[in-house]
Amino acid sequence: MRMEKTSKPLKKAVNVFVDEKLLQDVRNSEINVSAVLNNALRRELAKRWQVENAAAFEANRKDVEENGLWSDGRRMW
C-alpha cells in the first residue's frame, strides 16, 4: 500500500507587536504563540469568507426553498 506524502506548510517569520505583560503571561503558561496565531488567523479568514459570501448562501437557500433540490426526483430512498 502506497502512503501519500504529507508536506508541512512553509512557514515565514513575521514581526508582531504584543502587549509586554500579555506576552510574559503567555510564555509563563507555555502557550505556543505561533500555533495560537495560526488558528486565530484561520478562524478570522473563515469568518470573513462567510460574511463575504452570505448573499450567495441566502440566494441558494431561497432557490432550494422555492424549487427544491435538483436531485429531489432522482432519489431512490
Side-chain angles (χ1 to χ4, degrees), residues 34-46:
S34 295
V36 172
L37 179 59
N38 278 316
N39 290 333
L41 291 172
R42 283 188 186 100
R43 282 192 308 272
E44 181 64 26
L45 285 174

Side-chain angles (χ1 to χ4, degrees), residues 5 8-9 12 35 44 50 52 57 60 63 66 68 75:
K5 289 184 180 179
K8 289 185 178 181
K12 175 105 176 136
E44 181 64 26
Q50 287 181 326
E52 291 168 359
F57 296 143
N60 183 63
D63 182 61
E66 293 170 6
R75 287 188 266 182

Side-chain angles (χ1 to χ4, degrees), residues 11 26 29-39:
K11 295 185 178 186
V26 167
S29 299
E30 298 180 6
I31 294 173
N32 183 332
V33 175
S34 295
V36 172
L37 179 59
N38 278 316
N39 290 333

Side-chain angles (χ1 to χ4, degrees), residues 9 12 14 17-18 22 29 33 41 47 56-57 59 61-62 65 68 70 75-76:
K12 175 105 176 136
V14 297
F17 294 95
V18 179
L22 174 61
S29 299
V33 175
L41 291 172
K47 184 170 59 172
F57 296 143
R61 186 195 64 75
K62 283 183 180 179
E65 188 176 279
W70 65 269
R75 287 188 266 182
M76 304 301 277

